[in-house]
Amino acid sequence: MATSPPTEVTAMRNAYVDQFPDEARVIKAAFWSSFIALAIGGTLGLVQALHRTDVFRFIQSPDYYTVLTAHGVLLAITFTIFFLVGTFTWAVTTSLDRGVVDVRFTWAWYIMMVIGTVLVAIAIFSGFLESAPSVLGSELNADVLFTFYAPLEAHPIFYIGLVLFVVGSWLAGVDWFRTWLAWRSENPDERIPLPTFMVLTTTLFWYICTFGVALSILVFLLPWSLGITESVNPLLTRTLFWYFGHAVVYFWLMPAYMMWYIMLPKFSGGKLFSDPLARVVFVLFLLLSTPLGIHHQYLDPGIAEGYKFIAMTNTMFLLLPSLLTAFTVVASMEHGARQRGGEGYLGWLKALPWRNPIFTGMALAGLMFAAAGFSGMINAGMNINYLVHNTWWVVGHFHLTVGTAVALTFMAASYWFIPQLTGKELWNRSVALGQVLLWFIGMTFMSNAMHRSGLFGMPRRTAEPQYQGFDFEPAVGTVGEINMQVALGGVILTLSLALFLLNMIMTSIGDDSESIPDNTYAGTLSGAEDSPRILDNLKLWTAIAVVLVIIAYTLPLASIIDAGGLFGPGIEGVRLSTWVDPAVIESLGEVIR
Amino acid sequence: MSSKTEQREPEHVQTLGHEEYDPIGTAILIGIYFLILVLLWIFMYFVEFLGNGPTVVGMALTVVGLA
Amino acid sequence: MRISKGALLVVVALLVPFVVEFRTALSWFGIKLTILESLALAGVLVIGLLLWAVWPENGNGGTGTADSS
């Protein structure tokens, strides 16, 4: 490792915008697309929190589901993935030390994603109109929630928009691979730099998992909404959705993981504990992200228990890379703290740079993710899942994961990225620190109360969970208190969101600054030279991942199609039994059960 | 490793290499986390899950009974 | 100061989940706190924390070495 003697003053600014001005423009555009989605989606979250808890209702309850769809799609798909493509483009160019092959191609996929988002948004927000205009022979609306499987049906524009968005993200992946291949032809014997390795493995499992949702939309939902096919097999579209629906949570989690691995150690004042361990973690995510979607369907009739058991086993295996991450990331933070003079068994915690909003935001996001690990284990267990399935518990869980581990990490990272991309200093570090702390406190109130509501059976996806002749019975306190916690949490989160956006806007309109730190990421204690070469064999891992998917999904899909028909029970479409003897499926099914 | 990972850290009081560094604090924190996980899991399974009646069936009966 | 101001703020934030769920935990032992009592408890804890943080270490007051912002 080359280390230069410490210097106090940089001769020339060397931020990302100075190194890659063209790429910086695309990344900045992607980040702003992400922030706009965050602003709209987050505000709608407050509307829901106040409506559900009956604190303040100003929309009609049927419109609640339009709000819910917009909140889910804008935050879970648009906010996260726009931020991801920006971060990944930064990671590839920074770690390979070269620009993308052709920045026009980069702009092309970004614009494609924007067009897709706009179409989706038009379809969803038309749901608020008294009489929505009729386009393509049907009324514009898409109240299908983020989980857009049948029997809920959206306008074709919604599906077309989603397809454009996803294809745009595929092309982004092509862009990263092209850039890496170009780099490899110049550096044939070098190891893939860690950030690029993370980007490539994540992109590979994104290709594998989006295949399912593309199939679901292009073959079933889109023709159905256009009236080309008469019906669909709802269980099939559900299963194909969840084939994608759990891997997508790792897709938006991976940029947060990347930040924890390559930025958090740097801000702690140390180095990444182990490059090999980080590579193992990302390989495990490539292998295991997809063949476990059925764990979202533990209560679906029509899928045999044996298949659910396989999904549960894969899910439990996937705890491993997250626990490896907990160790590596905390050990890297401890390394930084000890280099900063921290001492004792736990006293080193005091030596961490808590005044720095980037560090504190990411550390608190990681802490919340540890709590989410617990509720995730409950969700993953086949029997104990019955306790919380489809209750508000699950909503509490994913507000800790995507709503905090991911969103708070992204916001904290923005405090570093936006100065890098604009060459302007962060407007106000104290406001930024207050913002990340407020997010933590707000989410504590909201998510904790949601978890507890789930335990006494309060349903999710419900505008008015207040029933006549029936009262929920919390173990402690009253439903009113718990609702107040949710409303209070929602208000604090919205305030925090407003402070974040204010800081981003004020930073962007501020003056150029010469004191932006260099564009670097964390070094490693144990580097790539210590990790086996086979870890970089992407073809091998992709092949194994595909085999695992085939093992986990062939039989469930075959039996779903066999029982319900490819296009629903009423239609004699292509039935699987024309290719495979049903007796074979039956006997294989018996083995699984 | 390239210049991309060079660090200038004015607040360093010492530099710890791979050999000198022993992440004992991490081990303690992870140990505490495991303990919390196990206790909460036991609580969820034995108190919340086994302690209540069958959730779905029980609720349905209550509603039907009142209707 | 025994810990930096940043760290102090973070510790105060971390107190929130403990105070919120402490009330639930106590009720398993038959002790029911009202919301006001919980708030009062939170106030006492925060004041205690502040006093601990600004109390001079080892009696030789106000060296202020630990401020690592």
Side-chain angles (χ1 to χ4, degrees):
Chain A
M1 162 132 345
T3 40
S4 62
T7 41
E8 284 299 318
V9 186
T10 342
M12 214 179 77
R13 198 180 70 173
N14 201 16
Y16 187 80
V17 65
D18 307 313
Q19 301 167 339
F20 303 104
D22 295 339
E23 286 80 357
R25 289 226 300 283
V26 194
I27 299 175
K28 208 163 58 179
F31 280 172
W32 275 104
S33 310
S34 155
F35 297 158
I36 292 169
L38 179 65
I40 302 171
T43 313
L44 294 176
L46 179 66
V47 175
Q48 283 163 254
L50 299 179
H51 188 96
R52 257 194 75 114
T53 53
D54 203 8
V55 172
F56 178 55
R57 284 184 174 159
F58 64 94
I59 54 167
Q60 300 286 313
S61 280
D63 285 338
Y64 175 87
Y65 301 94
T66 311
V67 173
L68 181 54
T69 308
H71 176 74
V73 172
L74 284 177
L75 293 185
I77 302 276
T78 317
F79 158 62
T80 51
I81 296 180
F82 267 124
F83 199 89
L84 177 145
V85 294
T87 309
F88 277 11
T89 307
W90 164 82
V92 168
T93 47
T94 298
S95 66
L96 299 180
D97 204 10
R98 59 159 294 150
V100 294
V101 178
D102 184 351
V103 79
R104 284 172 303 177
F105 182 70
T106 311
W107 277 110
W109 59 251
Y110 164 72
I111 289 168
M112 191 167 182
M113 289 172 74
V114 171
I115 295 172
T117 307
V118 170
L119 290 182
V120 167
I122 288 172
I124 295 174
F125 283 100
S126 299
F128 288 118
L129 299 174
E130 277 294 317
S131 54
S134 192
V135 182
L136 290 170
S138 54
E139 206 173 285
L140 259 186
N141 76 66
D143 298 340
V144 289
L145 312 187
F146 154 67
T147 50
F148 47 85
Y149 38 67
L152 294 178
E153 187 183 15
H155 190 275
I157 294 259
F158 175 79
Y159 299 120
I160 293 168
L162 279 179
V163 169
L164 286 178
F165 185 82
V166 170
V167 173
S169 73
W170 287 351
L171 295 178
V174 170
D175 202 7
W176 303 321
F177 265 95
R178 266 176 97 189
T179 308
W180 166 61
L181 288 173
W183 173 85
R184 198 177 62 171
S185 61
E186 294 157 12
N187 305 273
D189 294 323
E190 279 201 51
R191 298 298 295 265
I192 309 175
L194 185 61
T196 302
F197 181 83
M198 293 169 164
V199 169
L200 298 182
T201 45
T202 306
T203 307
L204 285 170
F205 83 68
W206 178 243
Y207 286 143
I208 295 176
C209 78
T210 42
F211 173 71
V213 80
L215 205 66
S216 168
I217 295 177
L218 291 175
V219 180
F220 302 109
L221 296 173
L222 185 58
W224 178 52
S225 70
L226 286 167
I228 297 170
T229 51
E230 222 168 283
S231 67
V232 292
N233 178 346
L235 185 57
L236 183 58
T237 62
R238 273 174 76 88
T239 308
L240 287 174
F241 177 85
W242 286 123
Y243 169 89
F244 145 90
H246 196 77
V248 71
V249 314
Y250 294 115
F251 188 56
W252 62 53
L253 188 63
M254 287 307 106
Y257 267 39
M258 176 195 267
M259 291 293 115
W260 298 350
Y261 274 107
I262 68 173
M263 299 311 278
L264 196 51
K266 178 178 109 168
F267 290 114
S268 311
K271 287 179 174 170
L272 175 61
F273 189 65
S274 165
D275 169 293
L277 215 49
R279 283 179 205 252
V280 167
V281 165
F282 277 75
V283 165
L284 282 171
F285 276 113
L286 166 58
L287 295 182
L288 291 170
S289 284
T290 316
L292 40 66
I294 289 180
H295 75 204
H296 286 257
Q297 298 176 285
Y298 284 150
L299 279 181
D300 276 22
I303 297 177
E305 296 286 292
Y307 306 138
K308 294 175 181 170
F309 192 85
I310 291 176
M312 174 170 81
T313 314
N314 286 343
T315 311
M316 294 301 181
F317 271 118
L318 204 46
L319 283 173
L320 185 66
S322 285
L323 293 173
L324 284 175
T325 300
F327 171 78
T328 316
V329 171
V330 177
S332 308
M333 282 164 55
E334 187 185 347
H335 179 246
R338 295 206 186 276
Q339 292 205 126
R340 292 165 60 97
E343 276 166 4
Y345 286 124
L346 291 175
W348 55 272
L349 285 166
K350 286 194 292 185
L352 287 167
W354 296 107
R355 178 69 186 75
N356 182 348
I358 309 168
F359 169 82
T360 303
M362 290 190 194
L364 290 178
L367 185 67
M368 282 296 218
F369 194 61
F374 161 69
S375 59
M377 277 166 60
I378 300 299
N379 299 340
M382 240 173 100
N383 52 357
I384 205 164
N385 177 284
Y386 295 167
L387 177 70
V388 295
H389 199 96
N390 261 336
T391 67
W392 227 9
W393 167 286
V394 179
V395 184
H397 167 73
F398 64 66
H399 277 87
L400 290 182
T401 53
V402 64
T404 307
V406 175
L408 187 54
T409 302
F410 285 3
M411 288 190 274
S414 301
Y415 293 134
W416 189 79
F417 272 129
I418 295 300
Q420 285 293 322
L421 295 170
T422 57
K424 294 166 180 179
E425 202 152 8
L426 186 66
W427 174 61
N428 193 320
R429 269 165 61 98
S430 300
V431 169
L433 183 65
Q435 185 268 323
V436 296
L437 288 171
L438 278 178
W439 193 271
F440 176 84
I441 293 171
M443 201 53 92
T444 298
F445 278 111
M446 191 174 89
S447 168
N448 177 59
M450 284 172 165
H451 277 99
R452 287 187 52 201
S453 309
L455 285 182
F456 55 78
M458 189 177 274
R460 64 186 284 202
R461 299 175 175 136
T462 304
E464 296 181 19
Q466 290 86 21
Y467 304 98
Q468 285 184 332
F470 170 80
D471 288 313
F472 291 111
E473 285 170 22
V476 178
T478 62
V479 176
E481 283 170 22
I482 286 181
N483 279 341
M484 280 326 216
Q485 279 188 32
V486 172
L488 174 67
V491 170
I492 296 175
L493 286 168
T494 313
L495 177 66
S496 169
L497 174 61
L499 290 177
F500 169 74
L501 293 167
L502 176 73
N503 222 336
M504 289 296 106
I505 293 169
M506 295 305 285
T507 303
S508 294
I509 61 177
D511 294 326
D512 257 21
S513 163
E514 282 304 310
S515 59
I516 307 292
D518 289 356
N519 176 36
T520 57
Y521 57 91
T524 51
L525 275 179
S526 164
E529 62 281 1
D530 296 333
S531 67
R533 282 234 163 222
I534 193 166
L535 283 174
D536 286 10
N537 188 341
L538 297 176
K539 281 182 190 144
L540 172 72
W541 304 120
T542 311
I544 298 177
V546 171
V547 169
L548 285 177
V549 166
I550 291 173
I551 291 174
Y553 267 99
T554 311
L555 288 176
L557 284 177
S559 78
I560 288 168
I561 295 169
D562 201 53
L566 204 51
F567 291 93
I571 312 282
E572 278 301 317
V574 191
R575 287 188 62 111
L576 196 97
S577 40
T578 52
W579 309 319
V580 183
D581 185 0
V584 175
I585 294 172
E586 190 57 32
S587 56
L588 278 172
E590 283 303 319
V591 174
I592 296 291
R593 273 173 221 135
Chain B
M1 187 85 33
S2 70
S3 62
K4 290 287 167 188
T5 56
E6 273 172 24
Q7 314 266 329
R8 282 170 292 103
E9 194 51 77
E11 286 167 22
H12 275 186
V13 297
Q14 56 176 341
T15 305
L16 282 173
H18 195 225
E19 298 306 318
E20 306 97 80
Y21 172 53
D22 209 9
I24 180 72
T26 305
I28 294 171
L29 284 182
I30 300 269
I32 295 172
Y33 178 54
F34 268 119
L35 208 65
I36 295 173
L37 277 187
V38 169
L39 289 177
L40 281 174
W41 198 90
I42 288 172
F43 172 80
M44 283 295 291
Y45 188 79
F46 288 99
V47 179
E48 292 286 350
F49 183 61
L50 295 183
N52 292 312
T55 319
V56 179
V57 179
M59 299 278 270
L61 284 181
T62 321
V63 175
V64 170
L66 289 165
Chain C
M1 291 283 286
R2 285 169 190 246
I3 54 174
S4 66
K5 282 178 193 154
L8 186 62
L9 262 178
V10 172
V11 176
V12 171
L14 285 177
L15 268 180
V16 174
F18 283 101
V19 170
V20 171
E21 275 311 291
F22 187 59
R23 187 159 161 254
T24 319
L26 275 186
S27 78
W28 290 101
F29 303 102
I31 305 168
K32 306 245 186 226
L33 291 184
T34 63
I35 294 177
L36 270 182
E37 283 164 343
S38 287
L39 282 176
L41 178 71
V44 170
L45 284 176
V46 171
I47 290 168
L49 188 68
L50 285 175
L51 282 178
W52 171 81
V54 297
W55 209 261
E57 249 169 310
N58 311 327
N60 40 2
T63 45
T65 47
D67 198 325
S68 60
S69 53

